[in-house]
Amino acid sequence: MREEKILILDFGSQYTQLIARRVRELNIYSEIHPFNAIPPIDESIKGIILSGSPFSVLEENTLRTNLEDIIGKKPILGICYGAQYIAHHFGGKVARSAKREYGKAQLSRILKEDVFTQNISKNSQVWMSHGDTILEIPSQFELLASTDSIDVAAYKSKENQFDHPIYAIQFHPEVTHSLEGKHFIQNFVLDICKCTGNWTPDAFIEQTVQNLRNKIGTDKVLMALSGGVDSSVGAQLLHKAIGKNLYCFFIDNGLLRKDEFEEVLASYEGMGFNIKGIDAKNRFWTELKDVSDPERKRKIIGRVFIEIFEEEAAKYDDINWLGQGTIYPDVIESISVHGPSVTIKSHHNVGGLPEKFDLKIIEPLRMLFKDEVRKVGRALSLPSNIIDRHPFPGPGLAIRILGDITPEKVSLLQEADAIFINKLKEHHLYNDVWQAATILLPVQSVGVMGDERTYEKTVVLRAVNSVDGMTAEWSQLPHDFLAEVSSKIINHVKGINRVVYDISTKPPATIEWE
Protein backbone atom coordinates (compact mmCIF):
# COMPACT_ATOMS: atom_id res chain seq x y z
CA MET A 1 0.00 0.00 0.00
CA ARG A 2 1.43 3.38 -1.01
CA GLU A 3 1.61 5.67 2.02
CA GLU A 4 -0.19 8.98 1.60
CA LYS A 5 -1.53 11.48 4.10
CA ILE A 6 -2.95 14.93 4.59
CA LEU A 7 -1.07 17.03 7.14
CA ILE A 8 -3.24 19.24 9.38
CA LEU A 9 -1.53 22.10 11.21
CA ASP A 10 -3.44 22.86 14.40
CA PHE A 11 -3.76 26.48 15.49
CA GLY A 12 -5.99 25.59 18.44
CA SER A 13 -9.42 25.32 16.82
CA GLN A 14 -12.11 23.34 18.61
CA TYR A 15 -12.87 21.80 15.20
CA THR A 16 -9.38 20.51 14.33
CA GLN A 17 -10.21 16.89 15.18
CA LEU A 18 -13.30 17.19 12.98
CA ILE A 19 -11.13 18.16 9.99
CA ALA A 20 -9.06 15.00 10.50
CA ARG A 21 -12.20 12.88 10.81
CA ARG A 22 -13.75 14.30 7.63
CA VAL A 23 -10.59 13.54 5.65
CA ARG A 24 -10.45 10.01 7.05
CA GLU A 25 -14.09 9.43 6.10
CA LEU A 26 -12.81 9.61 2.53
CA ASN A 27 -10.37 6.72 3.28
CA ILE A 28 -7.44 9.12 3.36
CA TYR A 29 -5.10 9.12 6.31
CA SER A 30 -4.72 12.49 8.05
CA GLU A 31 -2.40 13.56 10.82
CA ILE A 32 -2.61 16.54 13.19
CA HIS A 33 0.54 18.43 14.19
CA PRO A 34 0.92 21.65 16.21
CA PHE A 35 1.36 24.75 14.04
CA ASN A 36 4.87 25.20 15.44
CA ALA A 37 6.02 21.61 14.89
CA ILE A 38 5.83 21.03 11.14
CA PRO A 39 7.22 17.60 10.24
CA PRO A 40 9.49 17.10 7.21
CA ILE A 41 7.44 17.58 4.03
CA ASP A 42 8.18 14.29 2.31
CA GLU A 43 6.50 12.44 -0.55
CA SER A 44 3.93 10.83 1.74
CA ILE A 45 2.31 14.23 2.43
CA LYS A 46 -0.09 15.03 -0.41
CA GLY A 47 -1.59 18.23 0.97
CA ILE A 48 -1.64 20.54 3.99
CA ILE A 49 -4.61 22.05 5.83
CA LEU A 50 -4.28 25.03 8.19
CA SER A 51 -6.94 24.88 10.90
CA GLY A 52 -9.01 27.63 12.48
CA SER A 53 -8.08 29.23 15.78
CA PRO A 54 -9.61 31.21 18.66
CA PHE A 55 -6.81 33.78 18.10
CA SER A 56 -6.68 36.79 15.80
CA VAL A 57 -3.97 37.22 13.18
CA LEU A 58 -3.88 40.88 14.23
CA GLU A 59 -2.72 40.14 17.77
CA GLU A 60 0.92 40.77 18.55
CA ASN A 61 1.42 37.33 20.11
CA THR A 62 -0.79 35.38 17.72
CA LEU A 63 0.10 31.84 16.62
CA ARG A 64 2.48 31.96 13.67
CA THR A 65 4.15 29.25 11.66
CA ASN A 66 6.82 29.53 8.99
CA LEU A 67 4.69 29.45 5.86
CA GLU A 68 7.81 29.50 3.70
CA ASP A 69 8.44 25.91 4.84
CA ILE A 70 5.26 24.72 3.15
CA ILE A 71 4.24 27.25 0.47
CA GLY A 72 4.72 25.76 -2.98
CA LYS A 73 5.73 22.35 -1.67
CA LYS A 74 2.21 20.85 -1.48
CA PRO A 75 -1.36 22.04 -2.12
CA ILE A 76 -2.61 24.07 0.85
CA LEU A 77 -6.09 24.75 2.24
CA GLY A 78 -6.50 27.46 4.88
CA ILE A 79 -9.68 27.28 6.96
CA CYS A 80 -10.94 30.39 8.80
CA TYR A 81 -7.87 31.54 10.78
CA GLY A 82 -5.77 29.67 8.23
CA ALA A 83 -7.36 31.73 5.44
CA GLN A 84 -6.86 34.98 7.34
CA TYR A 85 -3.27 34.07 8.17
CA ILE A 86 -2.45 33.39 4.50
CA ALA A 87 -4.06 36.67 3.42
CA HIS A 88 -2.22 38.63 6.11
CA HIS A 89 1.11 36.93 5.32
CA PHE A 90 0.98 37.87 1.62
CA GLY A 91 -0.06 41.48 2.18
CA GLY A 92 -3.84 41.30 2.03
CA LYS A 93 -6.06 43.35 4.34
CA VAL A 94 -7.53 41.67 7.44
CA ALA A 95 -9.56 43.60 10.02
CA ARG A 96 -11.56 42.91 13.14
CA SER A 97 -15.21 42.26 12.25
CA ALA A 98 -17.69 44.88 13.42
CA LYS A 99 -19.38 41.95 15.15
CA ARG A 100 -18.38 38.32 15.40
CA GLU A 101 -19.62 36.46 12.31
CA TYR A 102 -21.09 33.29 13.72
CA GLY A 103 -23.71 30.95 12.30
CA LYS A 104 -25.22 29.95 9.00
CA ALA A 105 -24.50 31.78 5.74
CA GLN A 106 -25.08 31.07 2.06
CA LEU A 107 -22.50 31.10 -0.73
CA SER A 108 -24.67 33.38 -2.83
CA ARG A 109 -21.97 34.07 -5.43
CA ILE A 110 -19.60 31.52 -6.94
CA LEU A 111 -17.41 33.89 -8.92
CA LYS A 112 -15.20 31.47 -10.78
CA GLU A 113 -15.48 27.89 -11.99
CA ASP A 114 -12.86 25.82 -10.23
CA VAL A 115 -12.22 22.22 -9.24
CA PHE A 116 -12.51 23.29 -5.59
CA THR A 117 -16.10 24.50 -6.03
CA GLN A 118 -17.31 21.75 -8.36
CA ASN A 119 -20.55 20.03 -7.30
CA ILE A 120 -21.36 22.91 -4.94
CA SER A 121 -24.96 24.13 -5.11
CA LYS A 122 -25.96 27.74 -5.57
CA ASN A 123 -26.60 29.32 -2.14
CA SER A 124 -24.90 26.39 -0.45
CA GLN A 125 -25.19 26.72 3.34
CA VAL A 126 -21.89 27.13 5.20
CA TRP A 127 -20.98 27.73 8.85
CA MET A 128 -19.13 30.89 9.89
CA SER A 129 -17.26 31.33 13.17
CA HIS A 130 -14.68 34.11 13.12
CA GLY A 131 -13.87 37.49 14.64
CA ASP A 132 -11.61 38.72 11.82
CA THR A 133 -12.65 39.41 8.23
CA ILE A 134 -10.58 39.43 5.04
CA LEU A 135 -11.30 42.76 3.37
CA GLU A 136 -8.81 42.47 0.53
CA ILE A 137 -6.99 39.42 -0.83
CA PRO A 138 -3.31 39.67 -1.83
CA SER A 139 -2.39 40.38 -5.45
CA GLN A 140 -1.19 36.80 -6.03
CA PHE A 141 -4.72 35.48 -5.38
CA GLU A 142 -8.20 35.61 -6.93
CA LEU A 143 -11.68 35.49 -5.46
CA LEU A 144 -13.76 32.28 -5.68
CA ALA A 145 -16.92 32.89 -3.65
CA SER A 146 -18.80 35.41 -1.53
CA THR A 147 -21.82 35.50 0.77
CA ASP A 148 -24.35 38.30 1.15
CA SER A 149 -22.41 39.67 4.13
CA ILE A 150 -18.82 38.61 3.34
CA ASP A 151 -17.07 39.55 0.10
CA VAL A 152 -14.20 37.11 0.66
CA ALA A 153 -15.67 33.71 1.58
CA ALA A 154 -13.26 31.68 -0.59
CA TYR A 155 -10.19 32.52 -2.64
CA LYS A 156 -7.27 30.76 -4.36
CA SER A 157 -3.80 31.47 -5.68
CA LYS A 158 -3.64 32.55 -9.33
CA GLU A 159 -2.61 30.03 -11.95
CA ASN A 160 1.12 29.20 -11.88
CA GLN A 161 1.72 31.68 -9.06
CA PHE A 162 3.16 28.90 -6.88
CA ASP A 163 4.39 25.40 -7.63
CA HIS A 164 1.27 24.07 -5.88
CA PRO A 165 -2.07 25.87 -5.44
CA ILE A 166 -3.28 27.55 -2.25
CA TYR A 167 -6.97 27.63 -1.36
CA ALA A 168 -8.52 29.53 1.52
CA ILE A 169 -12.03 29.72 2.97
CA GLN A 170 -13.50 31.75 5.84
CA PHE A 171 -16.12 29.11 6.72
CA HIS A 172 -15.80 25.69 8.36
CA PRO A 173 -16.46 22.82 5.91
CA GLU A 174 -15.75 20.22 8.62
CA VAL A 175 -18.91 20.91 10.67
CA THR A 176 -22.26 19.41 9.73
CA HIS A 177 -23.87 22.87 9.51
CA SER A 178 -21.88 23.36 6.30
CA LEU A 179 -24.24 21.15 4.33
CA GLU A 180 -21.86 20.53 1.43
CA GLY A 181 -18.68 20.82 3.47
CA LYS A 182 -17.72 17.25 2.63
CA HIS A 183 -17.67 18.18 -1.07
CA PHE A 184 -15.17 20.97 -0.44
CA ILE A 185 -12.89 18.64 1.51
CA GLN A 186 -13.30 15.90 -1.09
CA ASN A 187 -12.52 18.27 -3.94
CA PHE A 188 -9.37 19.37 -2.16
CA VAL A 189 -7.94 16.02 -1.06
CA LEU A 190 -9.00 13.90 -4.06
CA ASP A 191 -8.94 16.25 -7.04
CA ILE A 192 -6.38 18.85 -5.99
CA CYS A 193 -4.05 16.77 -3.79
CA LYS A 194 -4.58 13.65 -5.97
CA CYS A 195 -5.03 11.26 -3.04
CA THR A 196 -6.15 7.75 -3.99
CA GLY A 197 -8.34 7.03 -0.92
CA ASN A 198 -6.81 3.63 -0.15
CA TRP A 199 -6.67 3.93 3.64
CA THR A 200 -9.23 1.27 4.66
CA PRO A 201 -9.57 -0.89 7.81
CA ASP A 202 -8.10 -3.88 5.95
CA ALA A 203 -5.17 -1.81 4.70
CA PHE A 204 -4.61 -0.45 8.22
CA ILE A 205 -4.60 -3.98 9.67
CA GLU A 206 -2.16 -5.30 7.08
CA GLN A 207 0.27 -2.39 7.53
CA THR A 208 -0.02 -2.28 11.34
CA VAL A 209 0.53 -6.01 11.82
CA GLN A 210 3.62 -5.88 9.63
CA ASN A 211 4.94 -2.83 11.50
CA LEU A 212 4.33 -4.55 14.86
CA ARG A 213 6.22 -7.64 13.72
CA ASN A 214 9.13 -5.53 12.54
CA LYS A 215 9.22 -3.48 15.73
CA ILE A 216 8.70 -6.22 18.33
CA GLY A 217 10.40 -9.17 16.64
CA THR A 218 10.54 -12.12 19.03
CA ASP A 219 10.14 -9.97 22.16
CA LYS A 220 7.25 -10.47 24.59
CA VAL A 221 4.48 -7.96 25.34
CA LEU A 222 2.43 -7.59 28.53
CA MET A 223 -1.01 -5.98 28.30
CA ALA A 224 -3.86 -5.39 30.75
CA LEU A 225 -7.28 -5.70 29.12
CA SER A 226 -10.47 -3.97 30.27
CA GLY A 227 -13.13 -5.67 28.18
CA GLY A 228 -13.57 -2.42 26.26
CA VAL A 229 -13.21 -1.79 22.54
CA ASP A 230 -9.82 -0.07 22.54
CA SER A 231 -7.80 -2.54 24.58
CA SER A 232 -9.50 -5.50 22.87
CA VAL A 233 -8.81 -4.32 19.32
CA GLY A 234 -5.27 -3.33 20.27
CA ALA A 235 -4.66 -6.77 21.77
CA GLN A 236 -6.08 -8.51 18.70
CA LEU A 237 -3.68 -6.62 16.43
CA LEU A 238 -0.77 -7.57 18.68
CA HIS A 239 -1.97 -11.17 18.83
CA LYS A 240 -2.18 -11.28 15.05
CA ALA A 241 1.39 -9.96 14.87
CA ILE A 242 3.19 -11.92 17.62
CA GLY A 243 0.78 -14.67 18.72
CA LYS A 244 1.60 -16.32 22.05
CA ASN A 245 4.29 -13.75 22.81
CA LEU A 246 1.45 -11.46 23.91
CA TYR A 247 0.63 -11.98 27.60
CA CYS A 248 -2.69 -10.49 28.72
CA PHE A 249 -4.56 -10.33 31.97
CA PHE A 250 -8.06 -9.18 32.87
CA ILE A 251 -8.78 -8.03 36.43
CA ASP A 252 -12.14 -8.45 38.14
CA ASN A 253 -12.17 -5.42 40.42
CA GLY A 254 -15.64 -6.23 41.74
CA LEU A 255 -17.03 -3.17 39.97
CA LEU A 256 -17.89 -4.68 36.59
CA ARG A 257 -21.38 -5.33 35.27
CA LYS A 258 -23.15 -8.54 36.19
CA ASP A 259 -21.36 -11.63 34.80
CA GLU A 260 -19.09 -9.37 32.72
CA PHE A 261 -15.84 -10.86 34.00
CA GLU A 262 -16.79 -14.40 33.01
CA GLU A 263 -18.36 -13.40 29.67
CA VAL A 264 -15.49 -11.17 28.53
CA LEU A 265 -12.85 -13.65 29.68
CA ALA A 266 -14.61 -16.37 27.69
CA SER A 267 -14.62 -14.08 24.62
CA TYR A 268 -10.89 -13.43 24.98
CA GLU A 269 -10.16 -17.14 25.33
CA GLY A 270 -12.29 -17.79 22.26
CA MET A 271 -10.15 -15.29 20.36
CA GLY A 272 -7.09 -17.39 21.18
CA PHE A 273 -5.52 -14.90 23.59
CA ASN A 274 -2.88 -15.99 26.06
CA ILE A 275 -4.86 -14.48 28.95
CA LYS A 276 -5.09 -14.78 32.71
CA GLY A 277 -8.15 -13.77 34.69
CA ILE A 278 -7.50 -12.29 38.13
CA ASP A 279 -10.23 -12.27 40.78
CA ALA A 280 -9.43 -9.21 42.91
CA LYS A 281 -12.96 -8.29 44.00
CA ASN A 282 -12.39 -8.51 47.73
CA ARG A 283 -9.13 -6.59 47.54
CA PHE A 284 -10.81 -3.62 45.85
CA TRP A 285 -13.86 -3.75 48.11
CA THR A 286 -11.64 -3.78 51.22
CA GLU A 287 -9.67 -0.77 50.02
CA LEU A 288 -12.88 1.12 49.18
CA LYS A 289 -14.60 0.41 52.51
CA ASP A 290 -16.25 3.55 53.96
CA VAL A 291 -14.96 5.76 51.10
CA SER A 292 -17.63 8.07 49.65
CA ASP A 293 -15.63 10.79 47.89
CA PRO A 294 -15.59 10.02 44.14
CA GLU A 295 -12.06 11.34 43.60
CA ARG A 296 -10.73 9.17 46.42
CA LYS A 297 -12.53 6.19 44.90
CA ARG A 298 -10.81 6.81 41.55
CA LYS A 299 -7.37 7.16 43.13
CA ILE A 300 -7.78 4.02 45.23
CA ILE A 301 -8.92 1.99 42.24
CA GLY A 302 -6.01 3.27 40.16
CA ARG A 303 -3.50 2.54 42.92
CA VAL A 304 -4.76 -0.98 43.57
CA PHE A 305 -4.76 -1.71 39.84
CA ILE A 306 -1.12 -0.64 39.60
CA GLU A 307 -0.23 -2.76 42.63
CA ILE A 308 -1.81 -5.82 41.01
CA PHE A 309 -0.08 -5.00 37.73
CA GLU A 310 3.26 -4.80 39.55
CA GLU A 311 2.67 -8.19 41.16
CA GLU A 312 1.74 -9.79 37.85
CA ALA A 313 4.60 -8.20 35.91
CA ALA A 314 7.08 -9.43 38.53
CA LYS A 315 6.13 -13.00 37.59
CA TYR A 316 7.70 -12.52 34.14
CA ASP A 317 11.40 -11.91 33.74
CA ASP A 318 11.59 -11.56 29.98
CA ILE A 319 8.89 -9.01 29.09
CA ASN A 320 10.17 -6.12 26.95
CA TRP A 321 7.03 -4.21 25.98
CA LEU A 322 3.90 -2.80 27.59
CA GLY A 323 0.86 -2.82 25.29
CA GLN A 324 -1.72 -0.05 25.64
CA GLY A 325 -5.03 0.84 23.99
CA THR A 326 -4.22 4.54 23.53
CA ILE A 327 -6.27 6.12 20.71
CA TYR A 328 -5.74 9.30 18.69
CA PRO A 329 -7.83 11.76 20.76
CA ASP A 330 -5.63 10.84 23.77
CA VAL A 331 -2.52 11.56 21.72
CA ILE A 332 -3.88 14.88 20.42
CA GLU A 333 -4.85 16.01 23.93
CA SER A 334 -1.30 15.32 25.11
CA ILE A 335 0.11 17.85 22.61
CA SER A 336 -0.16 21.55 23.43
CA VAL A 337 -0.45 24.11 20.63
CA HIS A 338 0.04 26.99 23.07
CA GLY A 339 3.61 26.33 24.21
CA PRO A 340 5.28 24.73 27.22
CA SER A 341 3.38 26.76 29.83
CA VAL A 342 0.18 24.78 29.27
CA THR A 343 -0.36 21.69 31.41
CA ILE A 344 -0.22 18.65 29.14
CA LYS A 345 -2.44 15.65 29.82
CA SER A 346 -0.69 12.29 29.92
CA HIS A 347 -2.12 10.05 27.19
CA HIS A 348 -1.03 6.75 28.71
CA ASN A 349 -3.97 4.59 29.73
CA VAL A 350 -2.22 3.06 32.72
CA GLY A 351 -0.92 6.08 34.60
CA GLY A 352 2.49 5.71 36.21
CA LEU A 353 3.40 2.30 34.83
CA PRO A 354 6.04 3.40 32.32
CA GLU A 355 8.00 5.07 35.15
CA LYS A 356 7.80 1.97 37.35
CA PHE A 357 8.92 -0.57 34.77
CA ASP A 358 11.75 -0.72 32.31
CA LEU A 359 9.34 -1.48 29.49
CA LYS A 360 8.93 0.08 26.07
CA ILE A 361 5.42 1.24 25.14
CA ILE A 362 3.60 -0.22 22.14
CA GLU A 363 0.30 1.42 21.08
CA PRO A 364 -1.22 -0.17 17.96
CA LEU A 365 -4.23 2.20 17.88
CA ARG A 366 -2.57 5.50 18.70
CA MET A 367 -3.50 7.01 15.32
CA LEU A 368 -7.17 5.93 15.23
CA PHE A 369 -10.36 7.66 16.33
CA LYS A 370 -12.94 5.66 18.30
CA ASP A 371 -15.23 4.95 15.35
CA GLU A 372 -12.20 3.80 13.34
CA VAL A 373 -11.23 1.42 16.15
CA ARG A 374 -14.68 -0.18 15.88
CA LYS A 375 -14.32 -0.52 12.09
CA VAL A 376 -10.95 -2.22 12.52
CA GLY A 377 -12.43 -4.48 15.19
CA ARG A 378 -15.19 -5.57 12.82
CA ALA A 379 -12.64 -6.19 10.07
CA LEU A 380 -10.76 -8.38 12.58
CA SER A 381 -14.04 -10.27 13.28
CA LEU A 382 -14.07 -9.45 16.98
CA PRO A 383 -17.28 -10.55 18.75
CA SER A 384 -20.09 -7.97 18.76
CA ASN A 385 -20.39 -8.05 22.57
CA ILE A 386 -16.97 -6.36 22.64
CA ILE A 387 -17.09 -4.20 19.49
CA ASP A 388 -20.59 -2.80 20.13
CA ARG A 389 -20.13 -2.46 23.89
CA HIS A 390 -21.14 0.89 25.33
CA PRO A 391 -18.35 2.99 26.85
CA PHE A 392 -17.79 1.99 30.47
CA PRO A 393 -15.86 4.11 32.99
CA GLY A 394 -12.50 2.88 34.28
CA PRO A 395 -13.65 2.98 37.94
CA GLY A 396 -16.72 0.98 36.87
CA LEU A 397 -19.70 0.84 39.19
CA ALA A 398 -17.75 2.64 41.92
CA ILE A 399 -18.80 5.98 40.44
CA ARG A 400 -22.33 4.74 39.78
CA ILE A 401 -22.84 3.94 43.45
CA LEU A 402 -23.13 7.33 45.11
CA GLY A 403 -21.72 7.11 48.61
CA ASP A 404 -19.67 4.28 50.09
CA ILE A 405 -19.11 0.95 48.32
CA THR A 406 -20.22 -2.40 49.78
CA PRO A 407 -20.51 -5.81 48.10
CA GLU A 408 -24.27 -5.67 48.81
CA LYS A 409 -24.65 -2.36 46.98
CA VAL A 410 -22.58 -3.64 44.06
CA SER A 411 -24.80 -6.72 43.78
CA LEU A 412 -27.96 -4.58 43.98
CA LEU A 413 -26.76 -2.26 41.23
CA GLN A 414 -25.51 -5.11 39.04
CA GLU A 415 -28.97 -6.74 39.11
CA ALA A 416 -30.81 -3.49 38.26
CA ASP A 417 -28.27 -2.56 35.59
CA ALA A 418 -28.49 -6.01 33.99
CA ILE A 419 -32.25 -5.63 33.64
CA PHE A 420 -31.87 -2.21 31.97
CA ILE A 421 -29.13 -3.33 29.56
CA ASN A 422 -30.82 -6.62 28.67
CA LYS A 423 -34.13 -4.86 28.04
CA LEU A 424 -32.39 -2.39 25.72
CA LYS A 425 -31.01 -5.33 23.75
CA GLU A 426 -34.32 -7.22 23.82
CA HIS A 427 -36.15 -4.19 22.39
CA HIS A 428 -33.37 -3.56 19.81
CA LEU A 429 -32.60 -0.19 21.40
CA TYR A 430 -29.07 -0.93 22.63
CA ASN A 431 -27.31 0.14 19.42
CA ASP A 432 -29.48 3.28 19.20
CA VAL A 433 -27.99 4.51 22.49
CA TRP A 434 -24.37 5.67 22.83
CA GLN A 435 -24.14 4.86 26.53
CA ALA A 436 -26.58 3.53 29.13
CA ALA A 437 -26.06 3.34 32.87
CA THR A 438 -27.87 2.67 36.11
CA ILE A 439 -26.97 4.75 39.17
CA LEU A 440 -27.66 3.76 42.78
CA LEU A 441 -28.55 6.75 44.94
CA PRO A 442 -27.66 7.08 48.64
CA VAL A 443 -31.26 7.85 49.53
CA GLN A 444 -34.24 5.77 50.53
CA SER A 445 -37.86 6.59 49.89
CA VAL A 446 -41.18 5.23 51.06
CA GLY A 447 -43.12 2.81 48.90
CA VAL A 448 -45.98 0.35 49.05
CA MET A 449 -45.54 -3.29 48.04
CA GLY A 450 -48.54 -5.48 48.67
CA ASP A 451 -50.00 -4.57 52.04
CA GLU A 452 -46.68 -3.38 53.40
CA ARG A 453 -44.95 -0.04 53.36
CA THR A 454 -41.32 -0.17 52.27
CA TYR A 455 -38.37 2.13 52.82
CA GLU A 456 -35.89 1.18 50.13
CA LYS A 457 -33.37 2.50 47.63
CA THR A 458 -33.76 4.48 44.39
CA VAL A 459 -31.97 3.90 41.11
CA VAL A 460 -31.59 6.31 38.20
CA LEU A 461 -31.62 5.14 34.60
CA ARG A 462 -29.34 7.18 32.34
CA ALA A 463 -29.15 6.83 28.54
CA VAL A 464 -27.47 9.32 26.23
CA ASN A 465 -26.66 9.82 22.58
CA SER A 466 -23.31 11.28 21.64
CA VAL A 467 -20.50 11.07 19.09
CA ASP A 468 -17.47 11.32 21.35
CA GLY A 469 -18.78 11.99 24.85
CA MET A 470 -17.82 15.67 24.80
CA THR A 471 -21.49 16.63 24.51
CA ALA A 472 -24.52 14.40 24.92
CA GLU A 473 -28.30 14.47 24.58
CA TRP A 474 -30.51 12.30 26.76
CA SER A 475 -32.03 9.43 24.80
CA GLN A 476 -35.75 9.74 24.26
CA LEU A 477 -36.57 6.10 25.01
CA PRO A 478 -40.23 5.04 24.62
CA HIS A 479 -42.34 5.55 27.75
CA ASP A 480 -43.75 2.04 27.64
CA PHE A 481 -40.20 0.68 27.49
CA LEU A 482 -39.15 2.70 30.55
CA ALA A 483 -42.28 1.51 32.37
CA GLU A 484 -41.40 -2.10 31.58
CA VAL A 485 -37.83 -1.67 32.86
CA SER A 486 -39.01 0.10 36.01
CA SER A 487 -41.58 -2.57 36.77
CA LYS A 488 -39.11 -5.42 36.35
CA ILE A 489 -36.44 -3.76 38.52
CA ILE A 490 -38.86 -3.03 41.35
CA ASN A 491 -40.44 -6.49 41.21
CA HIS A 492 -37.22 -8.49 40.84
CA VAL A 493 -34.54 -6.57 42.74
CA LYS A 494 -35.26 -6.69 46.45
CA GLY A 495 -34.13 -3.44 48.05
CA ILE A 496 -35.19 -1.06 45.26
CA ASN A 497 -38.66 0.49 45.24
CA ARG A 498 -38.22 3.52 43.00
CA VAL A 499 -36.83 4.05 39.47
CA VAL A 500 -36.34 7.47 37.85
CA TYR A 501 -35.03 8.54 34.42
CA ASP A 502 -32.38 11.22 33.96
CA ILE A 503 -33.25 13.74 31.21
CA SER A 504 -30.23 16.03 31.61
CA THR A 505 -28.00 17.01 28.68
CA LYS A 506 -24.23 17.44 28.73
CA PRO A 507 -23.49 20.26 29.32
CA PRO A 508 -24.50 21.38 31.87
CA ALA A 509 -24.75 17.89 33.41
CA THR A 510 -22.14 15.18 32.89
CA ILE A 511 -22.85 11.68 31.56
CA GLU A 512 -21.73 9.96 34.75
CA TRP A 513 -23.04 11.19 38.10
CA GLU A 514 -19.62 11.20 39.77
Side-chain angles (χ1 to χ4, degrees), residues 388-450:
D388 297 324
R389 182 177 185 255
H390 286 177
F392 191 67
L397 299 182
I399 58 169
R400 293 180 179 176
I401 297 174
L402 275 60
D404 65 324
I405 309 293
T406 67
E408 293 74 25
K409 288 181 181 179
V410 171
S411 178
L412 201 67
L413 181 56
Q414 284 177 330
E415 292 297 328
D417 179 75
I419 290 171
F420 185 28
I421 297 300
N422 289 335
K423 283 292 180 185
L424 283 168
K425 292 176 178 177
E426 181 184 318
H427 286 260
H428 305 291
L429 293 168
Y430 185 82
N431 290 333
D432 295 334
V433 170
W434 188 74
Q435 184 174 1
T438 310
I439 296 96
L440 183 66
L441 299 186
V443 296
Q444 290 177 293
S445 63
V446 69
V448 178
M449 302 185 79

Side-chain angles (χ1 to χ4, degrees), residues 240-251:
K240 197 174 178 66
I242 62 173
K244 292 298 183 180
N245 278 347
L246 172 66
Y247 292 82
C248 303
F249 59 89
F250 180 38
I251 298 173

Side-chain angles (χ1 to χ4, degrees), residues 212-327:
L212 289 171
R213 284 178 182 151
N214 294 340
K215 191 170 189 176
I216 299 169
T218 58
D219 289 351
K220 294 180 179 178
V221 179
L222 186 65
M223 187 169 185
L225 303 184
S226 67
V229 177
D230 301 338
S231 68
S232 301
V233 174
Q236 181 70 323
L237 285 168
L238 283 164
H239 177 69
K240 197 174 178 66
I242 62 173
K244 292 298 183 180
N245 278 347
L246 172 66
Y247 292 82
C248 303
F249 59 89
F250 180 38
I251 298 173
D252 184 357
N253 60 8
L255 302 165
L256 301 173
R257 284 181 155 140
K258 183 182 179 183
D259 300 328
E260 186 172 31
F261 180 67
E262 294 79 12
E263 291 172 0
V264 172
L265 195 58
S267 293
Y268 285 149
E269 290 170 347
M271 291 156 61
F273 284 5
N274 180 10
I275 187 163
K276 178 181 179 182
I278 301 171
D279 183 352
K281 292 192 294 289
N282 290 322
R283 184 165 171 178
F284 280 90
W285 290 340
T286 299
E287 293 279 355
L288 289 166
K289 190 176 188 311
D290 298 326
V291 176
S292 296
D293 179 71
E295 191 57 30
R296 279 194 64 202
K297 290 179 189 176
R298 291 176 187 272
K299 288 181 178 177
I300 288 169
I301 293 166
R303 173 177 58 78
V304 176
F305 177 87
I306 290 174
E307 289 173 357
I308 294 172
F309 188 98
E310 288 177 326
E311 293 163 11
E312 287 302 311
K315 297 174 183 177
Y316 304 91
D317 57 7
D318 56 352
I319 298 289
N320 306 100
W321 298 84
L322 172 67
Q324 293 188 324
T326 308
I327 62 175

